[in-house]
Amino acid sequence: MMEKWPVRGLIGVVHLPALPGDPCYDGRSIDDIISFALRDAAALVEGGIHAVIVENFGSTPFPKGTPDQLMPPHHTAMMTMVAQAIRKAHPDLVLGINCLRNDAMAALGIAASVGAQFIRVNVLTGAYVTDQGIIEGNAYDLLRYRQLLGASHIAILADVLVKHATPLAPISAADATKDILHRACADAVIVTGSGTGMPVERRVLEEVYQAAENKPVLLGSGTKSETLANYASFISGAIVGTALKRDGKVENEVDVERVKTMVKAFNAVCKH
């Protein structure tokens, strides 16, 4: 059995552009999309990042990722091609997949196909009102699919009270964390601010950390090198996208110097 990644360190994001069929698709070929992803992945690796996650960020508006509204099959195929190209270029890289908004089954299938170590799931448990409508977690099918694939080594990183969403029924961060880890069997939890690039509330992070009982906790948005020390006691890692882009703008390419600065800051304060 393959060893499961312990879920720690900085995870840089490869934000894919709009794919064919998306409203903002600009006509670029799959080869151009792969080159785009390889450029950002190479910059993240050069900067010393600990892991990389690939996500279909440009595919807005996103499908819910529920059985009635899955990611288009050709997008699954294209993300597999992109992830495989990154894996080939960086054989030892810790690699993850996130299929927005919540197509965890597709993410797991891609991860198992390309030898990725983890996936991110926005809604693993509960029901949330989002800009896509109501999304319900489906840990039941996901965990059984992982077992079917013989992929228990692929870690599931799940969001607590995920950004751009509100729980259908009120639930505390602590209770949501316990449900995700103990009832849905996630390997780690992610804490975000209210939206992309928004900072995490320290109060919420502390609550999640206490409830997680030594399971890995990651920052999922708003991470900056100058503020990492404020969160270091509660996290084993962070997913960083916007802060690593040129001029701190999510639509720009990854800036190697920004990656180096973030990695240095993380290594200085985070001992997990």
Side-chain angles (χ1 to χ4, degrees), residues 10-245:
L10 285 175
I11 304 171
V13 184
V14 171
H15 293 114
L16 296 183
L19 302 175
D22 289 333
C24 296
Y25 176 59
D26 59 9
R28 70 182 77 188
S29 68
I30 182 60
D31 287 340
D32 289 337
I33 292 169
I34 290 173
S35 295
F36 174 99
L38 285 173
R39 178 204 66 195
D40 275 3
L44 289 166
V45 171
E46 182 181 347
I49 207 75
H50 304 117
V52 167
I53 188 167
V54 180
E55 66 176 40
N56 54 329
F57 184 79
S59 291
T60 52
F62 304 117
K64 288 192 289 186
T66 53
D68 62 316
Q69 196 180 93
L70 298 171
M71 191 168 73
H74 67 285
H75 284 194
T76 303
M78 287 181 169
M79 287 188 70
T80 304
M81 293 174 69
V82 167
Q84 182 60 41
I86 293 173
R87 166 58 69 232
K88 184 176 180 180
H90 307 281
D92 299 324
L93 178 66
V94 175
L95 186 63
I97 307 294
N98 184 20
C99 293
L100 297 167
R101 175 69 193 250
N102 204 55
D103 199 337
M105 302 288 275
L108 184 59
I110 295 168
S113 298
V114 305
Q117 285 89 344
F118 68 98
I119 64 171
R120 179 178 185 175
V121 183
N122 282 180
V123 180
L124 184 63
T125 62
Y128 286 76
V129 179
T130 75
D131 51 312
Q132 290 80 30
I134 296 175
I135 297 178
E136 297 181 45
N138 190 10
Y140 177 91
D141 285 334
L142 181 64
L143 271 292
R144 282 160 177 78
Y145 184 40
R146 186 171 69 168
Q147 188 74 10
L148 178 67
L149 292 174
S152 58
H153 60 281
I154 297 177
I156 297 172
L157 283 52
D159 284 85
V160 175
L161 304 178
V162 67
K163 59 188 176 183
H164 302 293
T166 303
L168 197 58
I171 186 171
S172 69
D175 286 343
T177 299
K178 292 174 183 177
D179 282 351
I180 289 168
L181 292 173
H182 301 304
R183 295 175 66 82
C185 305
D187 299 286
V189 291
I190 303 166
V191 185
T192 65
S194 59
T196 300
M198 298 299 293
V200 171
E201 288 187 43
R202 184 185 172 95
R203 172 190 58 81
V204 175
L205 181 62
E206 290 184 23
E207 186 177 344
V208 171
Y209 174 77
Q210 293 295 330
E213 298 178 338
N214 296 319
K215 286 279 192 174
V217 176
L218 298 97
L219 295 179
S221 70
T223 303
K224 296 181 179 180
S225 57
E226 58 268 27
T227 59
L228 262 173
N230 298 332
Y231 305 111
S233 300
F234 311 107
I235 64 171
S236 61
I239 300 173
V240 192
T242 304
L244 302 182
K245 301 296 187 72

